[in-house]
Amino acid sequence: MRTMSRPVGLPVLAESDLVRQVARRLTDAIVQGRLPPGAKVAEAAVARELGISRAPVREAARLLESQGLLEASPRRGFFVRELSARDVDELYALRLCVERHAAVEAARRLTPEARDALRRQLDLMRDLARRDDPATIVEADYQFHRLICEAAGNARLLRLFDGLASELRIVIGLIGHLYDDPDEIARTHEPVLAAIEAGHPERIVAHVDHHIGVARREVVRLLEGLAPQSPASHSQTPESP
């Protein structure tokens, strides 16, 4: 069992709106792999590390539970959600529907500003690869895909993409472990952007299918190789005071 018994690098909070800040810190730790799937999020330990009381930590955990990042186990506390291979396959099936349409619409509506934003994001991913900073390149990966949805100009589609955000962040974090060369993550996005810039719908869909399909197969394969574990199988020790 992997628990949060040691500090994981969460900075002390001193500002208002603590619940949202705690949720963001925990989300970062999950995406960056400092809180891996199945890890226990001990309220007392997090509160001590952040220099705050347990109440906002508990509320942040409940918020992340509602977003699909954490799971609550009665009398045992909160655990980082463990996605099954089936969960990921279903998520990617939905991603394909959303991002095929988003990419085609983004090409049709592409403005110089949107093109520049996507190019800058791709450059950022390359720069982060040179810095060997896998945690931030994972976030940059997510933002690249969100920018495509923004460029599509459909507010409802963007909200749908954002609704998948929590689970996507866990999955994209797993993708970061699939490549020995961090620059490979940036390179896999180049054909997608080139197709959007060229504006050919069939090519766009083909490149989106390939880009997301490769990740889908590899992440499912990765998860199928892991032993399944549910919150009920975690330690029977109640939440510490």
Side-chain angles (χ1 to χ4, degrees):
M1 180 187 69
R2 307 174 76 174
T3 66
M4 191 179 173
S5 58
R6 296 177 299 177
V8 293
L10 302 176
V12 174
L13 299 175
E15 301 177 6
S16 59
D17 197 10
L18 287 179
V19 171
R20 185 159 55 184
Q21 290 188 70
V22 173
R24 180 59 187 176
R25 297 293 189 272
L26 291 174
T27 298
D28 289 345
I30 292 168
V31 172
Q32 295 166 8
R34 291 181 283 128
L35 279 174
K40 184 177 181 180
V41 181
E43 295 174 13
V46 172
R48 284 195 299 270
E49 189 170 355
L50 295 177
I52 59 177
S53 69
R54 291 180 60 170
V57 176
R58 185 177 301 111
E59 290 303 311
R62 289 172 179 162
L63 175 61
L64 294 183
E65 181 189 14
S66 71
Q67 295 176 356
L69 275 176
L70 300 182
E71 291 181 319
S73 181
R75 298 183 298 279
R76 288 185 284 275
F78 291 91
F79 296 84
V80 179
R81 184 181 174 192
E82 296 178 282
L83 294 174
S84 69
R86 180 174 180 177
D87 289 332
V88 171
D89 194 56
E90 291 177 351
L91 178 61
Y92 270 97
L94 183 55
R95 275 198 72 184
L96 278 171
C97 294
V98 171
E99 296 198 42
R100 283 171 183 155
H101 180 71
V104 171
E105 286 299 300
R108 190 169 68 87
R109 299 169 177 264
L110 195 63
T111 64
E113 294 76 17
R115 180 188 292 109
D116 290 346
L118 285 163
R119 280 286 162 193
R120 286 194 301 271
Q121 194 66 21
L122 194 54
D123 289 341
L124 174 62
M125 293 170 72
R126 295 192 192 100
D127 183 54
L128 293 172
R130 288 192 291 270
R131 297 182 198 175
D132 192 22
D133 192 347
T136 51
I137 199 173
V138 165
E139 181 65 20
D141 183 334
Y142 165 77
Q143 291 298 333
F144 178 89
H145 289 271
R146 192 180 192 280
L147 283 170
I148 292 175
C149 292
E150 288 182 0
N154 185 324
R156 288 178 175 82
L157 184 146
L158 183 60
R159 287 199 296 270
L160 179 58
F161 181 85
D162 283 341
L164 300 172
S166 295
E167 291 174 298
L168 286 175
R169 287 171 186 272
I170 295 176
V171 173
I172 292 174
L174 289 172
I175 294 172
H177 299 294
L178 296 179
Y179 298 100
D180 294 329
D181 178 8
D183 193 53
E184 180 67 15
I185 298 179
R187 286 196 296 269
T188 62
H189 292 77
E190 292 172 359
V192 176
L193 180 52
I196 291 173
E197 291 174 332
H200 300 297
E202 295 82 5
R203 288 178 55 193
I204 291 169
V205 170
H207 281 293
V208 169
D209 282 0
H210 178 74
H211 175 72
I212 296 180
V214 168
R216 179 183 188 177
R217 289 191 299 272
E218 291 301 309
V219 175
V220 168
R221 180 186 59 79
L222 175 66
L223 290 174
E224 286 176 341
L226 300 177
Q229 188 177 27
S230 65
S233 66
H234 290 293
S235 171
Q236 301 297 309
T237 304
E239 174 73 23
S240 59

